[in-house]
Amino acid sequence: MMRRPRSTTALVAGMASLSLFLTGCTGTENADASAGSDGMINYLNFGDFGGGTAPKANYNPYLPAFKLSATDYVHERLMIVEGTKCREVPWLATSYEWTDPKTLVFDVRQGVKWNDGKPFTAEDVAFSFNLLKKHSALDSVGVWDSDLTSVKATGGNKKVTFSFDKPGATAFTRITETAIVPEHIWSKVKDPTTFTNAKNPVGTGPFTVKSLNPRRLVIERNPDYWQADKVKVKEIRFNKADAGGQVEQLKLSRGEYDQQGMFIPDIKKSYVARDPEHHKYWYAPGGSISVYMNLTEKPFDDVKFRRALTTAFDDKTVIRKAQLGYVKEASQTGLVVPGQEKWLPKGIEDQGRIAYDPKAADKALTKAGYEKDSQGRRLGKDGKPISFSFKVPGEWTDWVASADIVIKNLKSLGFEVEKETPSPDAAIEDRQTGRYDMTFGVHGGSCNMYNNFSDPLNSDRTAPIGKKAMSNEVRWKDAKTDELLADLKSATSEKDQKKAVAGLTRVMTDEVPMIPIWYGAKWFQYKTTKAVGWPNAENPYASAADPLLWMTHLKPAKD
């Protein structure tokens, strides 16, 4: 689920007061020895660790709403599908194979131990997944909602076999998102749905929990970790961030964090300029924010009308003014490029980005039968002026600013457009129930290609006007699209998956069920005073959501 877009206006307005705080700061207020003589990084300061204003110890990996950040450094998964290029990185499993479309077999890594010294086995993996089957409230990623029928340890306790009653390829990323827990601990838990795992949580990960108080959570390196030689960080200190946005911006600007993931206005001035050599940021693209048109209404039900609008929106101005230059122009294909460029079919120009060209839009609209009258008003095929509303959550100020630009573009083409700014809850409900003409929506951005296209386009995921759609909020219904989704769902080879994805990208470019404008940003700031090797645009080996990969890449900075 995409998080609500961050409001930028209040933060921008507060920059004047923040600047007063910054005056006189040297950026060295929290300086100390960055590395020991043993070639290790003594500690790193990270941002918030969850739990609200009064955090309580909770390291249950199956309770995402309550778990603290340490959980993801203690518990590991079979594989990591990193979030930038969707590369599969072997972790607790060394490899996998689809022996047939309904059977997935993982080879479990040998020689791994839990941090209490007990051996990790395939039985632990099978136990973890069957625990979620027994207690469905813990199955937050829906792994058992994917036609999975059984998970068993096989091959002399060296393999794990996942069996499905239908082709199960779409379950792969759900499986790899699922944490593995020790059977010898969790089998004795009376109620896993309320278990906080608070006392000395046992996992296979690179860190163990050292201490927790209301202000700070500290985890320390596990010396017996199965790849301990790659982990050069002795300690990570998470710091409670409940003092408000401006205070956190100040702390980041002063260099008090080695890594953060927050919105900050004018990042180059307020952060990078404080220490250009060491203060860095990387905002990789996430899901697509698109113009949604209600496809049950005229003229949006006309594919020629929709195609004409693909050149109508000034995305570069949206990015520069409304999104502060932090995001990138989205591809009409529905893919996140360049990270997912390997899924692009051949012949797609500029990776599917479509340039703003109002003259071309005007010409295409006229050719499609939507001419202007003597007053410059765009007319429908019934000869009446085309008028509609653009609905945007009034509190999401960056979206409102983006909508203002889009509406201006539409008005310049002769449309009569009224802006509506309901509350976020009302706007979301209206989008789900189809009570809108035009609005913004979010889709894609994950490494599950089936979900990326099925959620916004599958006929089974929409609903009649007035009823909530599961995710297909534009009301797209197309037999060819559903056929391609079925092919993708059953495809276990990358070749067959790419063939289906190519067809779905052509649906996006040819039929235009929606018009992507920009990608949401994955906020990621880091400092190289103590550690180097962070993921960035030049070396995108991981995303902002892949801390286990960071930990095996970071090295002490040279003095």
Side-chain angles (χ1 to χ4, degrees), residues 365-539:
L365 285 166
T366 301
K367 185 177 180 180
Y370 301 94
E371 299 181 348
K372 288 181 180 178
D373 64 11
S374 59
Q375 300 177 53
R377 297 179 300 178
R378 186 71 58 180
L379 304 178
K381 293 185 178 180
D382 58 1
K384 297 179 181 179
I386 298 174
S387 63
F388 53 88
S389 66
F390 195 108
K391 193 168 290 188
V392 60
E395 295 175 23
W396 296 1
T397 53
D398 56 336
W399 277 30
V400 172
S402 300
D404 286 341
I405 296 167
V406 167
I407 290 171
K408 181 180 179 182
N409 297 153
L410 290 166
K411 287 183 175 180
S412 72
L413 289 169
F415 297 107
E416 297 177 8
V417 187
E418 178 185 358
K419 182 174 70 175
E420 297 181 9
T421 55
S423 69
D425 289 345
I428 291 170
E429 182 173 354
D430 286 347
R431 192 175 65 222
Q432 291 172 336
T433 57
R435 299 190 185 283
Y436 69 90
D437 299 325
M438 187 177 279
T439 188
F440 285 133
V442 183
H443 58 95
S446 79
C447 288
N448 187 317
M449 287 297 153
Y450 178 79
N451 288 350
N452 288 343
F453 288 99
S454 178
D455 284 350
L457 300 177
N458 196 325
S459 296
D460 289 339
R461 300 190 67 81
T462 194
I465 299 298
K467 293 186 177 181
K468 286 188 177 181
M470 285 189 287
S471 55
N472 178 351
E473 297 165 337
V474 297
R475 273 62 189 175
W476 176 251
K477 292 184 179 181
D478 177 62
K480 179 61 176 179
T481 301
D482 292 338
E483 181 182 338
L484 288 166
L485 287 169
D487 290 345
L488 180 57
K489 187 173 184 179
S490 63
T492 56
S493 71
E494 187 172 284
K495 179 182 178 181
D496 290 340
Q497 290 170 358
K498 284 184 174 180
K499 182 179 179 181
V501 169
L504 290 164
T505 62
R506 282 191 284 271
V507 169
M508 286 291 296
T509 57
D510 296 347
E511 303 299 324
V512 196
M514 59 204 64
I515 303 175
I517 305 296
W518 78 91
Y519 295 124
K522 298 179 180 178
W523 313 114
F524 185 71
Q525 301 94 16
Y526 61 96
K527 188 176 71 170
T528 60
T529 306
K530 298 176 187 175
V532 296
W534 300 96
N536 53 40
E538 290 71 39
N539 186 21

Side-chain angles (χ1 to χ4, degrees), residues 264-373:
I264 180 169
D266 200 354
I267 185 73
K268 292 181 180 179
K269 180 180 179 181
S270 58
Y271 179 60
V272 176
R274 300 289 302 158
D275 185 353
E277 183 179 354
H278 300 107
H279 288 191
K280 312 290 183 180
Y281 73 98
W282 176 42
Y283 295 161
S288 299
I289 289 84
S290 296
V291 170
Y292 278 18
M293 298 161 283
N294 190 327
L295 303 182
T296 68
E297 298 179 355
K298 294 184 181 300
F300 308 123
D301 61 348
D302 183 352
V303 64
K304 292 182 179 179
F305 180 90
R306 299 195 302 270
R307 287 175 187 161
L309 291 190
T310 58
T311 63
F313 303 123
D314 189 356
D315 40 36
K316 286 183 170 55
T317 298
V318 169
I319 290 167
R320 186 179 72 256
K321 291 187 175 181
Q323 299 298 319
L324 306 181
Y326 290 165
V327 301
K328 302 294 184 183
E329 178 186 354
S331 168
Q332 181 61 40
T333 63
L335 296 170
V336 180
V337 295
Q340 296 175 351
E341 61 185 348
K342 76 173 187 178
W343 296 93
L344 286 169
K346 294 181 179 179
I348 297 288
E349 187 177 348
D350 195 23
Q351 298 186 323
R353 302 179 188 90
I354 299 177
Y356 172 53
D357 189 342
K359 290 183 179 180
D362 178 68
K363 182 177 179 180
L365 285 166
T366 301
K367 185 177 180 180
Y370 301 94
E371 299 181 348
K372 288 181 180 178
D373 64 11

Side-chain angles (χ1 to χ4, degrees), residues 50-71:
T53 57
K56 296 180 180 180
N58 191 322
Y59 309 108
N60 184 332
Y62 306 130
L63 296 177
F66 304 100
K67 70 179 183 179
L68 302 186
S69 294
T71 310

Side-chain angles (χ1 to χ4, degrees), residues 115 151 330 336 554:
N115 61 31
V151 182
V336 180
L554 294 180

